[in-house]
Amino acid sequence: MRSKALKQGIERAPHRSLLRAVGYTDREIDQPFIGIINSFNEIVPGHTHLRQIAAAAAAGVRMAGGTPFECSTISVCDGLAMNHQGMKYSLPSRELIADSVEILAQAHAFDALLLIANCDKVVPAMLMAAARLNIPSLIISGGPMLAGWLDEEYVDLSDVFNAVGAVARGEMSAAELQRLEQAACPGCGSCAGMFTANTMNCLTEALGMALPGNGTIPAVSAQRICLAKEAGLKVMELLEEDIRPLDILTPPAFDNAFAVDMALGGSTNSVLHLLAIAHEAGVDFSLAKLNDFSARTPHLCKMSPAGKHHIEDLDRAGGIPAVMGELMAAGLLDDRALTVTGYSLSENLAGAEVLDPRVIRPFEDPYSPTGGLAILFGNLALEGAVVKRAAVAPEMLTHRGPARVFNSEEEATAAIMAGHFQKGDVIVIRYEGPRGGPGMREMLTPTSLLTGMGMDGEIALLTDGRFSGATQGAAIGHISPEAAAGGPLAIVRDGDAIVIDIPAHSLNLELAEAEIKSRLAHLPPWQPRVNSGYLKRYAEAVTSASTGAVFKS
């Protein structure tokens, strides 16, 4: 046990004295130490109930003869941070969370970890830390929020964002918006659609780092408490059998996760996070490889914002095991991959079945024969860009239009609110990448305004920043290299023709090569926007979105 270094021998008497000070008995001190790293707080809806999850997980640990220690880390609610300076801190929080888990685990010599997370950056951060530490670990999430109900229809947070655009256009009253606001988020949990938080929670199952059901059992369900207890029991088995994250986070595990991501039509942010987790696990994964997954993986689930179904529907339909069962039967998954159950993927999926083919389409009858995400390359995205193809209107899969260029999200939002755009425009929001933002903000407000105005089938939006999992429309993000790094996005001018061809995976600026080279040669040096604090350090250390926006080695 790692914890022997902290508690055994006469020289550790002071350490044992401190443990007694917090109420631990001789027997508890002798048992394995299990760190329960909890991202509970009172402002993030996905985290307000995590004390209950932690208590259930601790009960499971105790039942199996371990001693649990609950510790805390931070989290940021992307919805609350959206469209102001707070969003600059969202992605950077991922690295802080991963570092804090590492510090807590190493400083206190935990033998194993239960990682309790729920929202966008916390789940990938904890997986990154698990890979880095490589001690027996298991993720348990807080689960998804239930959808709201208004006027005989299910609603969620993305509907509220979209409604702001409808009000701006005069198609909805402020009173109607208030009714929607009050109904859309009925309780705790990660927001009800296949947004980033739920995408990542579902992919913990596909990676093999969480128990079946982790991604879809609703936050308010008693099954979620039972799952947390099972997680506490299971982490003790992982410790006994010495099954570690790097035994699970192998190249086949990432192949499986990307295939499931394509079938779900998950958030574009999942690409960023899976690349970062792979980096920590020492798995080399090329961004271009994702189009191969998309080409052979059908889109089986059309969840909000791309469709009307929510995560609770996916759970009732059989959950991620049912989705994976469809893919495994078609030979698209590596069924030998080890998971935290201690069994292989094929053993886990024995008996999994689709209970509602309206929610999880059969492999032979998908929404689309290709996956829900696409990676684009071209002279505007030399290292790649990401689009949620599943949420793009068919008429916008190919598009040529004039650029309308903005150097910040605030500039673009003000112009959209004022109606300063034309049908067919390609709105460019640059200097919002990992380094340039800094922090690679999500652009949900501009895209939601366009959707609410009924323009998501008429306007494309490009950025070196990110998009929320709730975004819909021809929204192409993660353009790399970013403008602040001297990428071609920095040379685009109003009126330049931009050509988008999502089926052909291309994104190009319609300019002669000589003109592109001339403009790049005359770019002024980038001037950092932030010159103090964590964001300054982040901008100096972060790498391109095409590598997962991890820190330089």
Side-chain angles (χ1 to χ4, degrees):
M1 288 190 297
R2 281 163 42 99
S3 58
K4 288 181 181 179
L6 184 145
K7 65 189 180 186
Q8 288 192 355
I10 59 169
E11 69 276 19
R12 298 295 184 260
H15 304 63
R16 293 191 295 272
S17 182
L18 290 169
L19 292 169
R20 296 181 197 285
V22 288
Y24 286 92
T25 64
D26 286 341
R27 179 172 177 175
E28 288 174 306
I29 293 171
D30 287 342
Q31 292 176 158
F33 283 8
I34 310 301
I36 298 181
I37 315 298
N38 188 359
S39 55
F40 162 82
N41 60 57
E42 293 185 340
I43 193 168
V44 182
H47 294 240
T48 56
H49 63 303
L50 293 187
R51 279 179 173 166
Q52 189 178 15
I53 300 295
V61 169
R62 290 192 184 94
M63 284 190 284
T67 300
F69 294 86
E70 185 180 352
C71 306
S72 300
T73 189
I74 64 168
S75 66
V76 170
C77 177
D78 281 20
L80 293 173
M82 197 71 65
N83 196 34
H84 61 88
Q85 292 302 304
M87 180 49 74
K88 291 180 182 287
Y89 289 87
S90 175
L91 182 61
S93 75
R94 188 186 71 183
E95 314 311 309
L96 279 178
I97 294 163
D99 289 350
S100 70
V101 174
E102 176 189 357
I103 289 168
L104 287 165
Q106 297 288 49
H108 302 110
F110 291 139
D111 297 301
L113 296 175
L114 272 171
L115 303 167
I116 301 179
N118 215 27
C119 289
D120 302 42
K121 310 309 162 301
V122 189
V123 175
M126 288 189 170
L127 286 168
M128 290 165 67
R132 187 186 303 172
L133 291 161
N134 199 33
I135 60 176
S137 303
L138 188 152
I139 290 272
I140 172 69
S141 83
M145 184 185 293
L146 296 176
W149 181 254
L150 181 67
D151 297 334
E152 305 300 313
E153 288 189 354
Y154 286 108
V155 292
D156 60 37
L157 184 65
S158 68
D159 294 303
V160 185
F161 272 100
N162 294 343
V164 174
V167 172
R169 192 168 177 165
E171 296 179 352
M172 176 183 279
S173 69
E176 289 173 316
L177 175 60
Q178 185 179 32
R179 290 184 66 236
L180 176 59
E181 168 193 328
Q182 292 170 341
C185 297
C188 65
S190 47
C191 298
M194 190 58 76
F195 314 144
T196 305
N198 287 323
T199 298
M200 291 309 304
N201 279 331
C202 289
L203 295 184
T204 59
E205 294 187 48
L207 284 168
M209 286 296 294
L211 297 178
N214 184 65
T216 60
I217 295 172
V220 295
S221 171
Q223 292 180 57
R224 176 63 55 180
I225 301 301
C226 294
L227 188 71
K229 290 179 183 176
E230 291 291 340
L233 293 166
K234 185 58 66 175
V235 78
M236 295 299 294
E237 292 180 19
L238 294 176
L239 179 61
E240 177 68 24
E241 297 170 20
D242 196 28
I243 296 175
R244 298 169 181 248
L246 294 186
D247 299 324
I248 296 169
L249 293 173
T250 60
F254 287 95
D255 289 351
N256 290 344
F258 278 116
V260 172
D261 200 8
M262 293 296 174
L264 293 174
S267 164
T268 53
N269 286 314
S270 61
V271 175
L272 195 73
H273 297 320
L274 286 173
L275 289 174
I277 299 162
H279 172 80
E280 292 284 357
V283 174
D284 185 22
F285 205 98
S286 166
L287 193 60
K289 188 178 178 183
L290 297 191
N291 287 329
D292 297 334
F293 286 100
S294 182
R296 65 175 181 261
T297 308
H299 182 205
L300 302 182
C301 303
K302 206 157 193 176
M303 316 298 294
S304 174
K308 291 296 185 183
H309 295 133
H310 293 87
I311 305 301
E312 63 199 83
D313 301 312
L314 180 58
D315 188 61
R316 286 191 290 263
I320 300 305
V323 175
M324 296 183 78
E326 288 291 300
L327 298 179
M328 188 175 72
L332 294 182
L333 299 182
D334 189 325
D335 60 5
R336 299 165 296 175
L338 182 65
T339 74
V340 290
T341 64
Y343 300 108
S344 69
L345 185 63
S346 62
E347 292 172 305
N348 283 355
L349 297 182
E353 60 178 320
V354 175
L355 303 177
D356 189 343
R358 297 170 300 177
V359 179
I360 305 172
R361 287 279 191 92
F363 187 87
E364 299 78 13
D365 183 29
Y367 285 102
S368 166
T370 55
L373 299 176
I375 310 300
L376 311 184
F377 294 93
N379 65 13
L380 201 51
L382 301 172
E383 297 173 2
V386 185
V387 62
K388 189 169 185 175
R389 177 178 180 154
V392 179
E395 61 271 24
M396 291 298 292
L397 290 171
T398 59
H399 181 73
R400 179 186 181 278
R404 289 276 288 117
V405 182
F406 303 94
N407 290 330
S408 71
E409 180 189 6
E410 288 83 358
E411 288 182 16
T413 298
I416 292 169
M417 288 287 286
H420 294 164
F421 59 86
Q422 302 292 325
K423 289 183 179 181
D425 281 353
V426 178
I427 294 174
V428 174
I429 307 177
R430 63 190 179 192
Y431 297 110
E432 289 286 5
R435 178 186 173 195
M440 204 179 181
R441 289 192 287 180
E442 290 183 345
M443 305 290 139
L444 180 57
T445 297
T447 57
S448 296
L449 286 170
L450 291 169
T451 298
M453 293 174 175
M455 299 299 293
D456 54 336
E458 303 280 356
I459 301 286
L461 199 155
L462 314 183
T463 184
D464 50 9
R466 299 181 295 127
F467 291 112
S468 166
T471 289
Q472 46 192 309
I476 299 169
H478 305 197
I479 293 176
S480 302
E482 63 176 295
L489 200 66
I491 67 169
V492 180
R493 298 173 183 169
D494 282 343
D496 286 345
I498 293 176
V499 181
I500 300 165
D501 191 336
I502 295 173
H505 304 112
S506 69
L507 177 64
N508 286 288
L509 182 60
E510 204 171 71
L511 279 181
E513 186 176 348
E515 175 64 13
I516 291 174
K517 288 182 178 179
S518 175
R519 290 191 192 182
L520 286 170
H522 291 90
L523 272 179
W526 165 245
Q527 298 299 317
R529 287 173 166 168
V530 178
N531 294 298
S532 64
Y534 177 59
L535 288 183
K536 178 179 183 292
R537 300 196 300 274
Y538 180 83
E540 292 170 347
V542 73
T543 60
S544 168
S546 63
T547 62
V550 297
F551 280 177
K552 297 170 186 173
S553 300

